[in-house]
Amino acid sequence: MASLPKSTPSPQCLSHLRRLIRTPSLLPSSPFHQQIRGKKKSTKGPHPVNVRLLEDIRGYGRKGSIIPIAPGRMRNIYFPQRKAEYVTAAQIRAMGGQKELNIERDFGFGIEAPAQEQEQLEDDSVTPETVNVRMDLLTPQRTTEIIEALIPPELIFHRVPITTPEPTSSPEPLGQSITAEPPAQPMPAPLTRIFGSVSTADMVDAIKAVLAEDEEGARVVLSAEDVYIDAEASEETGVEADRLKALGEYRVEIRPKGMVDAIRRGVSIRAVETDA
């Protein structure tokens, strides 16, 4: 088992104690010795140097100004390019000292708004003049007269029909007696469906195309809600809400807002001839 280090006996006389204090190596050693670190180095950057500008430098100052500047910038840029020269402390004292010279960098020197931006700012400060535009709307009576005069009696549209195979009749079995049957009632011709449809919006586009050719007709306000199909919506009629879905002849009513009496026109949907 290791033995503990022996402690140095304490001094008995005053002269012996003073000699121990003057000689640190003679003091009793301690296992809890405190280490003293050196001072940290300063993290501040290099101290700026005072220079005299030999030309105007944007963001720094005018020619002849004495300003503080980073030594690296002066050493690597401004001094080699003859843009600035060093000013010693003796020269500054001869000129009255730093307080008299007001040694400061002019951060705003040369940084101004371009002339175009300045003009724009001046223009924005002027209140724009308000121009009142008056638009003369057509009266309902005049709208009726224009539509009656310009829109033809019938609007013609062309669509591709949907062809369906015709049903074939089965022959009667042999030996069955043929009895005379009363003539059947004539059946209505079947509707020929079309690819796509003709909506009230399509009709309005066709009407506007005609009205646009006239100077006063171009001012007529018309929408799809102002055109109504004069037929019952069903599969037998080929009418579905606001659109036509079969070939045939139809009637529509045109009633723009404010009009009392509707203008009636025909709509004809015809088949497009296709190459077999």
Side-chain angles (χ1 to χ4, degrees):
M1 180 176 179
S3 60
L4 295 175
K6 296 181 179 180
S7 59
T8 305
S10 59
Q12 300 297 327
C13 62
L14 184 59
S15 61
H16 190 196
L17 180 62
R18 289 175 180 174
R19 184 163 53 88
L20 290 176
I21 294 175
R22 293 173 183 176
T23 310
S25 59
L26 299 178
L27 291 174
S29 60
S30 173
F32 306 102
H33 180 66
Q34 182 179 3
Q35 183 180 3
I36 301 175
R37 298 180 180 272
K39 294 183 178 180
K40 294 183 179 181
K41 294 183 179 180
S42 177
T43 57
K44 295 183 179 179
H47 194 275
V49 295
N50 296 324
V51 301
R52 179 186 289 109
L53 299 179
L54 301 179
E55 61 180 57
D56 295 346
I57 299 179
R58 183 180 180 182
Y60 284 86
R62 193 179 301 277
K63 178 182 178 180
S65 302
I66 299 177
I67 63 171
I69 196 171
R73 177 179 291 272
M74 178 60 179
R75 180 177 62 254
N76 300 323
I77 302 176
Y78 291 164
F79 186 74
Q81 297 179 4
R82 302 291 183 180
K83 292 185 176 181
E85 63 179 0
Y86 289 97
V87 179
T88 64
Q91 292 175 332
I92 293 177
R93 286 195 299 270
M95 288 182 288
Q98 293 188 2
K99 293 183 179 180
E100 294 292 335
L101 295 177
N102 191 19
I103 302 177
E104 291 181 359
R105 173 183 169 183
D106 188 358
F107 290 91
F109 176 76
I111 303 176
E112 298 177 357
Q116 295 181 355
E117 296 182 5
Q118 189 66 24
E119 293 177 359
Q120 182 67 27
L121 293 175
E122 294 177 359
D123 294 340
D124 293 343
S125 61
V126 180
T127 303
E129 182 180 357
T130 304
V131 179
N132 295 324
V133 179
R134 180 175 176 269
M135 184 177 179
D136 295 330
L137 298 178
L138 298 174
T139 61
Q141 181 180 358
R142 183 55 183 162
T143 300
T144 303
E145 295 173 355
I146 293 174
I147 294 176
E148 286 280 8
L150 299 179
I151 302 304
E154 188 177 50
L155 302 175
I156 301 175
F157 297 89
H158 292 85
R159 295 290 187 271
V160 178
I162 301 175
T163 57
T164 56
E166 297 180 358
T168 56
S169 58
S170 58
E172 296 182 359
L174 297 175
Q176 184 178 1
S177 61
I178 301 175
T179 58
E181 295 181 358
Q185 295 293 332
M187 297 292 293
L191 293 175
T192 303
R193 302 290 175 177
I194 57 176
F195 288 102
S197 62
V198 177
S199 64
T200 54
D202 297 329
M203 302 174 196
V204 170
D205 292 340
I207 294 172
K208 286 183 176 180
V210 177
L211 296 176
E213 298 178 358
D214 182 78
E215 181 179 357
E216 195 174 14
R219 296 166 53 192
V220 173
V221 179
L222 193 66
S223 64
E225 290 76 14
D226 301 330
V227 179
Y228 306 89
I229 300 174
D230 187 12
E232 184 181 355
S234 65
E235 289 291 331
E236 290 75 15
T237 59
V239 179
E240 181 181 329
D242 60 345
R243 61 191 63 245
L244 306 174
K245 306 190 70 174
L247 300 179
E249 306 293 329
Y250 303 89
R251 301 292 295 177
V252 296
E253 293 183 355
I254 306 172
R255 186 183 293 125
K257 294 177 178 61
M259 291 178 55
V260 178
D261 298 330
I263 302 173
R264 299 177 63 84
R265 287 293 184 269
V267 175
S268 176
I269 304 179
R270 304 177 183 179
V272 177
E273 297 295 336
T274 58
D275 297 335

